[in-house]
Amino acid sequence: MAIQRAKGATVEDVDGNLYIDFFGGAGVMNVGHSNPAVVQAVIKQIGELSHTLDFPTPGRKLLIETLSAVLPEKLSRLSFGGPTGSDAVESAVKLAKYNTKRQGIVAFEGSYHGMTVGALSLTSGRHFREPFLPLLPEVHFVPYAYCYRCPFNKKPDSCSLECAEYLSHVLEDPHSGVGKPAAVIVETIQGEGGSIVPPVQFIPKVRQICDKHEVLMIADEIQSGFCRTGKMFAFEHTNTIPDVVTMSKALGGIGLPVSGIAYQEKLNVMPAGQHIGTFRGNVAAFVAGAAALDFMLSSKLADHALNLGERMLLSLRELERNSEIVGDVRGKGLMLGIEFVKDKATKEPAPEWARSVRTGCHRRGLLIEIGGHYNNVARFLPPLVLTDELAQKGLAIFMDTVKEVECSR
Ligand SMILES: Cc1ncc(COP(=O)(O)O)c(C=O)c1O
């Protein structure tokens, strides 16, 4: 499809077809396409100043102040990066290496941290990695709390967080083959891996293990941040404060490119100039980010995302009960996943049906994404301004399409 324009949670193509947007620019458009308050702030800014490398500007100061007010006090240091989330991941890794004088990073199975060589090294998908091997050395992957497909064969109600215990074992055992890493990087809620919400004790346990081994904890909030899951940042659901938080996507308000990290004061030892870049001073993106944050707060977008997401999950759970090809539905706020399987007992993944559902939804006027460890998860990441009415319409399209795919198997 070729896109002509977009507004709120709708997208129009060049042929005049309208779509309900459950994709939201892959989690960028939290405040809605062409959000008027943000657009106005950007137009005013670019008439005055738009590019300044790393120089101080009122726009940078405004975003620092606005962002600091919504971050935990402990995450008092901010550094803005280049246009992509991958760059925020690169700078978090550099910060961790610089501080600990160690090499290694532990990441999780199912992770997606970006496509630049450093970020790709922390991304688990074989099809992304294999053409570019070898990547960064000393990166190790451990199981995420993916309860639907628990590698330890546990059920959520009877498990003892064996996945987190395994991380503990890897760091503890001198014969695990893994040297003491600089950091553990974790998506607080796994995004591209299939909208996987870990049990509530998982992230605090990871924090505890990192503390015990004096390893830094980097929370990648690039997709889960900025009200998406019903809190400003997903780590806030867990009473945990990471050492470093990566941010991008919705940070640029209406899709203007900017990324950044927030980190604890104790880590602020890297001399100026160690992570520079031509586009780190995108003033239009800074004011867009500040205006977007104001909008999120004044319109209580986090609460709306949480409540609407819960209502949508209720309908999706009913779909799961009635469908033979929906194995699991999950999510938090407006970060939802529907996992397709060939057989609910064997859980054999059905990526082709996920693809058929995506195509069918597009034909009927609904945009969705697919992801997941096996590429078999339909993912909803709508703009958080999605109304109840549009959500119901979109869900109806999705359910009809699932039924159609199910019948045509
Ligand atoms: C959790 C997470 N980290 C990092 C990235 C990389 O961001 P970008 O595509 O802007 O480089 C993404 C992108 O989807 C992401 O979801």
Side-chain angles (χ1 to χ4, degrees):
M1 86 189 259
I3 301 171
Q4 180 73 42
R5 59 177 71 83
K7 188 100 198 122
T10 56
V11 170
E12 187 181 335
D13 72 12
V14 289
D15 300 317
N17 300 307
L18 267 185
Y19 299 85
I20 298 168
D21 185 7
F22 276 14
F23 175 57
V28 168
M29 285 299 167
N30 292 16
V31 296
H33 294 277
S34 314
N35 181 294
V38 182
V39 169
Q40 215 177 13
V42 171
I43 290 172
K44 182 167 175 289
Q45 180 60 53
I46 55 178
E48 250 171 44
L49 179 73
S50 57
H51 178 71
T52 62
L53 293 155
D54 283 353
F55 285 88
T57 58
R60 180 185 291 267
K61 182 167 177 278
L62 180 67
L63 183 57
I64 289 172
E65 286 167 358
T66 318
L67 202 47
S68 300
V70 298
L71 278 161
E73 224 172 290
K74 261 189 151 176
L75 293 167
S76 58
R77 284 282 163 180
L78 283 169
S79 162
F80 294 109
T84 71
S86 301
D87 190 60
V89 172
E90 300 288 342
S91 75
V93 168
K94 284 168 72 179
L95 189 74
K97 287 189 174 194
Y98 196 94
N99 268 277
T100 60
K101 309 283 177 273
R102 291 181 223 130
Q103 280 283 318
I105 306 285
V106 171
F108 286 89
E109 294 171 9
S111 58
Y112 186 90
H113 296 292
M115 288 288 110
T116 51
V117 170
L120 180 59
S121 305
L122 313 174
T123 295
S124 60
R126 282 185 199 136
H127 64 294
F128 291 129
R129 304 168 55 80
E130 279 179 355
F132 306 103
L133 294 172
L135 294 164
L136 287 189
E138 290 303 314
V139 175
H140 299 276
F141 293 89
V142 293
Y144 194 73
Y146 183 9
C147 298
Y148 182 63
R149 294 182 187 278
C150 174
F152 301 95
N153 262 330
K154 297 285 171 183
K155 297 267 174 289
D157 47 4
S158 62
C159 95
S160 315
L161 283 183
E162 278 77 1
C163 44
E165 288 302 336
Y166 185 75
L167 168 66
S168 177
H169 153 78
V170 163
L171 298 185
E172 197 94 46
D173 185 339
H175 277 259
S176 70
V178 178
K180 191 164 174 166
V184 170
I185 183 163
V186 61
E187 287 165 83
T188 327
I189 291 178
Q190 213 168 60
E192 299 303 311
S195 305
I196 301 173
V197 186
V200 70
Q201 315 89 328
F202 178 70
I203 295 292
K205 183 89 190 173
V206 171
R207 169 80 270 184
Q208 209 185 335
I209 296 165
C210 287
D211 284 344
K212 180 170 173 202
H213 294 276
E214 295 176 327
V215 168
L216 298 178
M217 178 184 170
I218 303 170
D220 185 341
E221 290 273 352
I222 286 167
Q223 189 167 129
S224 54
F226 301 109
C227 302
R228 164 85 26 216
T229 70
K231 296 269 187 196
M232 185 55 77
F233 297 99
F235 66 77
E236 292 173 61
H237 291 289
T238 69
N239 275 330
T240 305
I241 301 182
D243 294 301
V244 187
V245 174
T246 56
M247 302 170 284
S248 188
K249 291 200 188 265
L251 179 62
I254 45 169
L256 297 193
V258 65
S259 72
I261 56 172
Y263 55 97
Q264 300 201 15
E265 178 64 40
K266 64 180 181 192
L267 303 177
N268 195 36
V269 296
M270 215 153 84
Q274 292 282 3
H275 193 71
I276 52 174
T278 309
F279 292 112
R280 290 181 66 209
N282 188 335
V283 201
F286 292 156
V287 299
L293 281 166
D294 284 345
F295 179 86
M296 287 174 201
L297 296 174
S298 63
S299 54
K300 297 193 170 39
L301 221 48
D303 291 345
H304 176 67
L306 191 67
N307 297 332
L308 181 56
E310 265 168 25
R311 288 195 292 278
M312 289 173 77
L313 258 185
L314 281 181
S315 307
L316 291 170
R317 289 213 174 96
E318 199 180 320
L319 174 72
E320 181 193 332
R321 279 192 294 278
N322 297 327
S323 162
E324 284 175 21
I325 62 170
V326 174
D328 191 34
V329 301
R330 53 187 178 246
K332 189 115 193 135
L334 289 173
M335 188 168 177
L336 303 171
I338 301 95
E339 178 150 357
F340 290 96
V341 289
K342 296 207 169 127
D343 179 314
K344 283 176 125 163
T346 64
K347 300 185 182 175
E348 185 187 345
E352 60 276 49
W353 296 342
R355 274 196 304 275
S356 302
V357 168
R358 178 177 61 185
T359 308
C361 285
H362 286 188
R363 292 213 175 102
R364 291 175 149 105
L366 174 71
L367 303 180
I368 62 165
E369 188 192 9
I370 54 178
H373 287 222
Y374 298 90
N375 230 19
N376 62 330
V377 180
R379 302 194 57 225
F380 297 171
L381 290 168
L384 309 182
V385 293
L386 182 73
T387 59
D388 276 81
E389 193 193 341
L390 270 191
Q392 289 315 321
K393 273 191 189 161
L395 274 178
I397 294 176
F398 182 75
M399 307 228 183
D400 284 350
T401 311
V402 172
K403 266 184 224 140
E404 187 183 86
V405 170
E406 192 166 340
C407 290
S408 66
R409 274 174 303 158

